[in-house]
Amino acid sequence: MSLSDPNPLHQLALADPDLAASIGDMWQAQASPISPSEIALLSDQILWGLSQTESFGRAIAKGYANLLGARDPEIVLVYHEQVRQAGQKGTTFGTLMATHLAGILKTGNKRLVKRFLTTVATMTAKGTYTLNKPLEALAVILKHGDLASLSAGLE
């Protein structure tokens, strides 16, 4: 896929050529091809994030990259919807969700995803400032693959 050809990544390449090139390379490396409609959806979401703040757009791109191996359309759709909703409430919240939701979704554990979203909603009601440290701690636990502790941490 050449970024100079008319394709869904063209607009992203105009906004951030380096990001578009790295995303294009990742998408090309996938075992199963990503359809132009999927690329358009992901590219539009990343562009929307970049239009808010550069860090938000890059967090969205990194989250999608994390989900590429999953290739479950439902997971990508949940990520898309939740990050969009969070971003509409503010870029800080959007960036936190873009950063941390992909790893939770990639577990494929629907119960864990539901717990995560419920916990985030509860904490957000108290203030977005309550999220950063707990989400960082959950990310460390997730990185070590300890889903039981992760689930307990969301109680």
Side-chain angles (χ1 to χ4, degrees), residues 34-52:
I34 298 173
S35 73
S37 63
E38 288 175 303
I39 292 172
L41 175 72
L42 304 182
S43 182
D44 285 349
Q45 180 84 335
I46 294 165
L47 277 169
W48 174 74
L50 286 170
S51 75
Q52 308 299 309

Side-chain angles (χ1 to χ4, degrees), residues 120-130:
V120 166
T122 301
M123 293 177 73
T124 303
K126 295 175 183 182
T128 304
Y129 71 92
T130 64

Side-chain angles (χ1 to χ4, degrees), residues 1-153:
M1 169 184 341
S2 168
L3 294 178
S4 62
D5 297 336
N7 69 61
L9 279 180
H10 181 73
Q11 291 296 324
L12 184 56
L14 294 174
D16 191 328
D18 294 336
L19 182 60
S22 67
I23 289 170
D25 291 345
M26 283 186 288
W27 289 346
Q28 278 185 324
Q30 291 303 299
S32 56
I34 298 173
S35 73
S37 63
E38 288 175 303
I39 292 172
L41 175 72
L42 304 182
S43 182
D44 285 349
Q45 180 84 335
I46 294 165
L47 277 169
W48 174 74
L50 286 170
S51 75
Q52 308 299 309
T53 66
E54 183 179 356
S55 61
F56 184 30
R58 288 185 172 273
I60 293 169
K62 189 174 180 181
Y64 280 128
N66 191 17
L67 292 174
L68 284 177
R71 299 293 297 148
D72 179 347
E74 183 180 334
I75 287 174
V76 174
L77 185 59
V78 169
Y79 181 80
H80 175 81
E81 291 172 353
Q82 291 295 322
V83 169
R84 178 64 71 138
Q85 287 175 12
Q88 289 171 340
K89 293 177 183 174
T91 57
T92 299
F93 183 37
T95 301
L96 286 169
M97 287 297 281
T99 301
H100 298 287
L101 180 58
I104 299 292
L105 288 168
K106 198 167 180 180
T107 67
N109 185 326
K110 291 182 183 203
R111 188 168 158 240
L112 183 64
V113 171
K114 185 176 179 180
R115 268 195 175 147
F116 175 82
L117 294 174
T118 300
T119 301
V120 166
T122 301
M123 293 177 73
T124 303
K126 295 175 183 182
T128 304
Y129 71 92
T130 64
L131 292 171
N132 196 36
K133 296 262 187 225
L135 291 180
E136 286 176 6
L138 290 175
V140 170
I141 295 168
L142 182 61
K143 184 177 179 181
H144 288 93
D146 187 354
L147 295 184
S149 293
L150 183 61
S151 184

